[in-house]
Amino acid sequence: MKYNFPLLCLLAICPVALVAQEPQTTGPLQNFVQDKQQMPVLEGASWGGIAAYTDQIQEPLFALHERTRLTPASTLKLLTSAAALETFGSSHRFETRLYAATTPHENGTLSGALYVQGGGDPTLGSPRVPGAESWQKVVKKWVDAVQKAGIKRIEGPIYADVSAFEGPSVSPKVNWENMGNYYAAPASPLCFNDNSFDIHFQPQLRANQPVYVASTTPLVSGLSMQSFVKTDGLSKKDNAYVYAAPGQYELKIFGTIPTSVTGFTIKAALPDPALFAVQSLRQALQEAGIEVMQDAQVLYDAPDYSTMQLLHTYQSPLLKDIIVIVNKRSFNLYADMLLRQLALHAGKKGSLENGLAALNQFLQQNNIAGATDTVLYDGSGLARDNLLTPQTLLNTLVFMSKSPYFKEYYNSLATPDDRGDLLILRRFLKSHKRINQVRVKGGTIDGVKAAAGYVYDTEGRLIAFVMIANNLASKDESLWRFHEDILKKLIAL
């Protein structure tokens, strides 16, 4: 089946400026940016960028190809996180509910089923966000709730209700190389443990030798893995890739890992996070002495909860804390979950298509852009086919600088020395101790390096900036040095 996703487009913060010809920006910074286009790393590549004071967007400090559509990589998360904050507010929490089909009999028998209603909490069962709990602790709370209700025997199945979402759980534009890995984990209304698991390889001291899977954490029922991975005696990096589609339990692993005395671990995407969640609950109930007569199952059509007994409501951390993980840690799953939450808020199923439509509406209603400025296929930037203009990103940053949630948005971005967000500007201003004057969202995928965010000038005035390079032929670090030089000049204004 072919999925046709909407073009996300916009009318700029100043509609007149968008339809007018590009500004004739001049000055030392503009000349510097134009001269740097002759750098060897940009030969055959495309570069676009813009910077402006947030209160003078019509007078950019530099602007080059700012209305050319470019692949944004993870800087796209700036749009998704902005829409989420504006839609839900910074203190919003997502909920997951546990229901019993009926009231248990006096002898403790539940004649019906248990239902875990997925509410689209991206953090469920993950301690990644402060205030969230591990999946084992979540399951323990569910077991405690069942025991508190006096249930000692469950005759029906344990259902994972995933009816809130529909359509593909991963964007069809995500590369096959990425799809089975944790950073491309499938979205689910019942997320669990970041929808991922660890694969542990056996120790191998010699280079260029096959290395085999020793175990997984947690244990995933029904999983079958073939390892074609070899050791690399020179690299210390994880260059192993898991190949599997959502719902596929037969995994193949290719690539290299470092030689190791103790073994090496990588993360992969859970084939079916919702099923794993209720399987874990079933096992924990049995271990607690509660008899469960049927298997755990996934339910795609919502039951009538009005006649059921609510046993437990689990709440996520605050949205402002989730946004920090989306931007500062550039976590794809949380961004794509928030995209689907936008659809649910609009009263529709949490599909990729409906989420993109809701994001499009946010951009249009807030005059962030125009009809051909964006072509989006996810909320995270993982899809290489995503396109947007630097002007779109700048407009988003300027819009959020005037938002009541600007503090939360600003603090969700990384400082250049932050260990999150790929340390994209890790050399930046180290000797001058001025890194706190910068907040940045980075983006890197094949052939793409991007950075966008805010800096303050010497008078404390706020500047928004965007810099995107596409079709790079190498990973030459000189491109980042060019971006750092631009920021140094902005701060010195």
Side-chain angles (χ1 to χ4, degrees):
M1 173 180 273
K2 181 178 181 181
Y3 294 91
N4 295 313
F5 297 107
L7 296 182
L8 300 189
C9 341
L10 48 208
L11 300 181
I13 287 195
C14 176
V16 175
L18 259 185
V19 297
Q21 64 180 10
E22 293 191 1
Q24 299 299 311
T25 305
T26 59
L29 187 53
Q30 181 72 21
N31 294 336
F32 173 78
V33 170
Q34 290 177 331
D35 290 344
K36 285 289 186 177
Q37 299 307 300
Q38 306 305 314
M39 295 172 62
V41 70
L42 288 176
E43 183 178 356
S46 301
W47 192 94
I50 184 171
Y53 284 104
T54 55
D55 58 358
Q56 288 182 305
I57 189 172
Q58 295 179 3
E59 301 175 19
L61 299 165
F62 75 84
L64 189 66
H65 306 307
E66 72 275 17
R67 295 193 178 94
T68 298
R69 291 183 298 275
L70 299 168
T71 299
S74 283
T75 58
L76 172 57
K77 293 181 176 74
L78 290 169
L79 273 65
T80 308
S81 55
L85 279 171
E86 289 293 306
T87 300
F88 297 105
S90 62
S91 297
H92 183 77
R93 298 179 189 268
F94 303 106
E95 295 185 342
T96 305
R97 297 183 176 91
L98 175 67
Y99 289 91
T102 62
T103 301
H105 300 300
E106 290 184 1
N107 64 0
T109 297
L110 177 65
S111 59
L114 282 182
Y115 295 84
V116 181
Q117 182 189 29
D121 174 6
T123 69
L124 184 68
S126 168
R128 187 181 291 269
V129 182
E133 296 176 304
S134 69
W135 66 269
Q136 294 95 334
K137 289 184 179 180
V138 173
V139 168
K140 177 65 166 56
K141 288 191 172 182
W142 287 340
V143 172
D144 290 346
V146 171
Q147 291 176 322
K148 185 177 180 180
I151 298 171
K152 300 177 181 177
R153 173 187 169 95
I154 302 170
E155 294 188 336
I158 300 178
Y159 286 117
D161 175 7
V162 297
S163 60
F165 289 7
E166 67 179 10
S169 56
V170 176
S171 171
K173 297 295 185 179
V174 170
N175 292 343
W176 176 235
E177 181 183 53
N178 294 330
M179 196 172 291
N181 300 280
Y182 78 95
Y183 53 84
S188 170
L190 187 55
C191 274
F192 216 57
N193 193 39
D194 291 333
N195 296 355
S196 63
F197 68 100
D198 292 339
I199 299 175
H200 307 291
F201 290 98
Q202 296 175 356
Q204 176 55 261
L205 292 172
R206 297 171 58 197
N208 200 34
Q209 296 297 308
V211 59
Y212 302 108
V213 174
S215 63
T216 68
T217 306
L219 183 65
V220 182
S221 178
L223 204 60
S224 171
M225 290 178 287
Q226 281 185 283
S227 173
F228 300 91
V229 177
K230 292 188 176 183
T231 49
D232 184 340
L234 300 177
S235 175
K236 298 298 182 182
K237 296 182 179 179
D238 165 17
N239 289 310
Y241 294 87
V242 180
Y243 289 78
Q248 181 179 335
Y249 281 77
E250 296 180 1
L251 281 58
K252 290 183 170 61
I253 315 169
F254 296 89
T256 63
I257 61 173
T259 54
S260 173
V261 178
T262 58
F264 194 81
T265 299
I266 66 172
K267 283 187 176 293
L270 277 169
D272 191 334
L275 180 59
F276 173 75
V278 288
Q279 286 174 335
S280 300
L281 174 56
R282 184 179 187 274
Q283 180 178 345
L285 287 167
Q286 290 178 316
E287 291 173 354
I290 299 171
E291 194 175 4
V292 183
M293 303 305 296
Q294 297 190 41
D295 290 337
Q297 301 178 36
V298 177
L299 187 67
Y300 297 95
D301 296 313
D304 181 5
Y305 288 108
S306 64
T307 62
M308 297 187 191
Q309 180 181 358
L310 176 63
L311 303 182
H312 186 266
T313 299
Y314 191 92
Q315 291 190 324
S316 75
L318 299 176
L319 178 60
K320 67 182 179 68
D321 297 322
I322 298 174
I323 293 295
V324 170
I325 305 301
V326 171
N327 287 334
K328 189 172 289 193
R329 300 294 176 254
S330 204
F331 201 54
N332 296 323
L333 174 63
Y334 289 7
D336 285 324
M337 288 290 293
L338 292 180
L339 183 78
R340 288 163 172 81
Q341 284 288 356
L342 295 177
L344 294 179
H345 184 268
K348 298 182 179 181
K349 287 279 190 177
S351 69
L352 187 59
E353 185 173 7
N354 290 339
L356 290 170
L359 181 56
N360 177 44
Q361 186 176 21
F362 167 78
L363 296 174
Q364 292 178 340
Q365 286 182 343
N366 292 290
N367 294 326
I368 292 172
T372 59
D373 288 342
T374 62
V375 181
L376 303 184
Y377 293 96
D378 61 33
S380 63
L382 185 59
R384 183 65 171 78
D385 290 17
N386 285 314
L387 297 172
L388 56 77
T389 65
Q391 185 74 55
T392 302
L393 278 171
L394 186 83
N395 291 347
T396 304
L397 291 163
V398 171
F399 173 81
M400 290 305 295
S401 73
K402 306 177 191 312
S403 166
Y405 306 112
F406 176 61
K407 179 180 178 181
E408 292 85 352
Y409 188 72
Y410 179 84
N411 288 336
S412 77
L413 306 183
T415 58
D417 67 338
D418 195 287
R419 291 191 62 81
D421 212 13
L422 306 179
L423 290 167
I424 59 167
L425 302 176
R426 55 187 173 274
R427 298 184 193 173
F428 180 71
L429 294 183
K430 275 283 192 178
S431 59
H432 301 289
K433 307 295 184 184
R434 296 171 65 190
I435 54 176
N436 285 327
Q437 290 177 253
V438 180
R439 289 295 185 277
V440 62
K441 177 75 202 81
T444 57
I445 54 177
D446 292 343
V448 177
K449 289 182 179 178
Y454 301 100
V455 300
Y456 284 96
D457 72 4
T458 56
E459 296 181 352
R461 295 179 63 194
L462 186 63
I463 299 170
F465 67 87
V466 179
M467 301 173 288
I468 304 176
N470 278 192
N471 304 318
L472 297 167
S474 74
K475 296 181 180 180
D476 191 328
E477 288 286 306
S478 63
L479 193 280
W480 287 136
R481 307 291 82 79
F482 167 42
H483 288 176
E484 290 175 0
D485 288 341
I486 290 176
L487 296 187
K488 289 176 184 178
K489 292 179 182 299
L490 291 173
I491 289 173
L493 292 175

